[in-house]
Amino acid sequence: MIERKCSFCKAPESPTNHLIAGDGVYICEHCVVNGYRIFFGDDEEHGHIHTHEEFEQKAVIPKELHKFLNEYIIGQEHAKKTLSVAVYNHFKRTLKQHNVENDETEIAKSNILLIGPTGSGKTLLAQTIARMLNVPIAIADATSLTEAGYVGEDVENILTKLLQAADGDVARAQHGIVFIDEIDKISRMSENRSITRDVSGEGVQQALLKIIEGSQVNIPPKGGRKHPNQDFVQIDTSEILFICGGAFDGLTEIIQKRMGSNVLGFNHAKKSSKEREASLSMVEPDDLVKYGLIPELIGRLPILASLSEIGIDDMVRILTEPKNSLVRQYKKLFAIDGVTLTFEEDALKAVAAKAIERKTGARGLRSILEEIMVDIMYELPEYNGYEVVITKEVVESSTKPICVKKSTKNSTKKSA
C-alpha cells in the first residue's frame, strides 16, 4: 500500500492525521486550518484556531513516535523508547492549554543526553524525531564552540542555525529541536577548576547553561560574531528541546571503578563489548562529573539514554530494512538505468564485518559500498537489461560482480 502524504507539508497519513484527497493531491487538517487563518485570520467567533505545532503535539503519542523511529532506525530499543517518552512530555509541557485546572505546578524541561559510540545513531535519532514532528532542527558540533571573545563560534550561533532552519520564523524556531553533538569534547580535563581560561571546555559548558535552561537570548540573525552595531533577534529558549550526544570514550572505566569491578595487574581479561554496554547503561550523574561535565549542565540534561555498539546482524538490517536504507538507494540508482541490483546475504555480512573492523559504526557503511560499486557504476549505462549480483567475493577480494542478461530464459552469466 502506497503511503499517502500531505502535498503541502508532507506529513504522513495516520489515525490522528486525516487527509482530504483531490485529483492526485492530498491536504491534511493542519494545512486546512492554516489556510483558513491566512484567508480569514483568527476570528474568535468561530472558536480557537490551533496552530500547526499544537496539532502536531497533540497527535504524536509515544507509541506512534516509537513506531516511526523503527522505520528508520534499527535496534537501540531503550534509547528509542526513552526519547519517545521525553519528546512527548516536552511537547505536552509547551501546550498553552492544559486539561488540569487550578494547578500552578510548572513542568520542567525534558532535555536529553545520548551516550553511545560513534556511528550508533545518536544524530539520526534527533533528525528522525524532527522529521515526524515537522519542526525545525539545528545540528551543531560542540567542538567548534568557544567562549565569547575567542576565535570560534559563539554558543548563540546554535540558535541562529535553528532560526535559519525555521526560515526566519521566530515562533516556529521557539518550538524546534537543537542537537549538540560531541558534547563530551568540551569536558574539562579534571574535576578541579582551572585558574586559567578554558577556551573550549568548561567555559563553553557555562555558556550553554543559559540557553539550555530557558531564557531570552539575543542572537545575530545572520550568524557570525556579535558587535554593538548590528540588529539582534530575541528568542525564548524555554520551549526548545535540547538533545546532546557524545561518545564519552573512557566513561565505562569510570563506571566500573565506581562499581568496584576494576582490576589491577597484567593478566586480567579485556572487557567484552557486551560488558562495556552493560556498564554504560548504569551511568549516573556523578560518573559524568568525574568525566568532566559540570554539575550545572548535567542537572539541565535530566534524561540519560545509552546506545549500544552495533553488531553484524543489526548492521545487515541497517543495510536493508529502513525506508531509506543504503541497499534500497543503490537499487533505485541502478533501476533508473534499467539494471537490477541484487546483494547476496553473505555479501551483506561481509560489508557489515568491514564496518565493524573499521570501528566507524553505521556511518561507515556508505563509504564501503561506494568502494565496491564505483567500477560497476562507471559502466552502468551499458548494462541496461542486466541483473548485477554482488557476492561475498566482490566485497572481500574486489572481484568483478556477475551480470546476468534478464531477457533470455537460459541466461548466461558473465563478469562485469
Side-chain angles (χ1 to χ4, degrees), residues 166-410:
D167 297 325
D169 188 341
V170 175
R172 193 161 180 260
Q174 290 178 162
H175 290 81
I177 294 176
V178 172
F179 180 75
I180 305 175
D181 202 4
E182 306 290 355
I183 196 72
D184 55 317
K185 302 302 187 295
I186 59 171
S187 60
R188 58 190 182 206
M189 294 297 102
S190 68
E191 291 183 75
N192 300 321
R193 292 185 179 274
S194 173
I195 60 174
T196 59
R197 300 285 283 179
D198 187 5
V199 176
S200 61
E202 183 181 346
V204 176
Q205 295 186 51
Q206 297 283 0
L208 283 170
L209 299 179
K210 178 179 65 173
I211 67 170
I212 289 180
E213 184 176 19
S215 61
Q216 299 286 341
V217 181
N218 293 322
I219 64 168
K222 296 183 180 179
R225 311 297 297 183
K226 286 185 176 181
H227 55 82
N229 297 324
Q230 67 178 329
D231 296 327
F232 293 103
V233 175
Q234 193 172 71
I235 288 185
D236 183 4
T237 65
S238 59
E239 295 183 354
I240 297 175
L241 179 63
F242 286 85
I243 303 174
C244 298
F248 288 89
D249 187 31
L251 183 61
T252 52
E253 286 75 9
I254 295 174
I255 298 171
Q256 290 166 5
K257 185 177 181 180
R258 170 176 56 82
M259 297 173 65
S261 59
N262 58 316
V263 181
L264 297 176
F266 297 100
N267 296 324
H268 64 278
K270 188 178 180 180
K271 295 286 183 181
S272 66
S273 60
K274 289 186 177 180
E275 289 176 319
R276 290 196 298 272
E277 291 170 14
S279 299
L280 209 57
S281 64
M282 300 177 186
V283 63
E284 293 182 358
D286 287 344
D287 302 321
L288 296 172
V289 172
K290 290 182 179 178
Y291 189 86
L293 296 186
I294 60 176
E296 297 91 336
L297 181 61
I298 298 170
R300 287 162 175 79
L301 300 168
I303 300 175
L304 304 178
S306 60
L307 287 78
S308 57
E309 291 184 10
I310 303 174
I312 289 184
D313 292 338
D314 283 340
M315 282 283 193
V316 173
R317 293 180 62 199
I318 289 170
L319 283 168
T320 56
E321 292 184 13
K323 283 188 173 182
N324 57 348
S325 67
L326 289 172
V327 169
R328 292 188 182 185
Q329 292 180 37
Y330 278 103
K331 284 185 176 181
K332 186 173 182 178
L333 284 173
F334 275 59
I336 292 172
D337 284 310
V339 182
T340 302
L341 177 64
T342 303
F343 281 88
E344 292 186 351
E345 186 68 22
D346 289 342
L348 294 173
K349 289 182 178 178
V351 172
K354 272 194 172 186
I356 292 175
E357 183 182 352
R358 294 183 182 183
K359 297 182 180 180
T360 54
R363 62 165 50 93
L365 294 171
R366 183 62 184 255
S367 61
I368 294 171
L369 285 176
E370 285 289 344
E371 293 173 7
I372 298 167
M373 309 298 290
V374 63
D375 289 333
I376 184 64
M377 292 184 75
Y378 179 74
E379 300 177 352
L380 190 59
E382 303 173 14
Y383 288 91
N384 186 292
Y386 281 85
E387 178 186 3
V388 176
V389 181
I390 306 298
T391 63
K392 181 180 179 181
E393 290 73 22
V394 176
V395 178
E396 294 182 344
S397 306
S398 299
T399 58
K400 292 186 176 181
I402 298 172
C403 284
V404 183
K405 186 70 174 177
K406 294 186 295 182
S407 57
T408 58
K409 291 185 178 180
N410 298 324

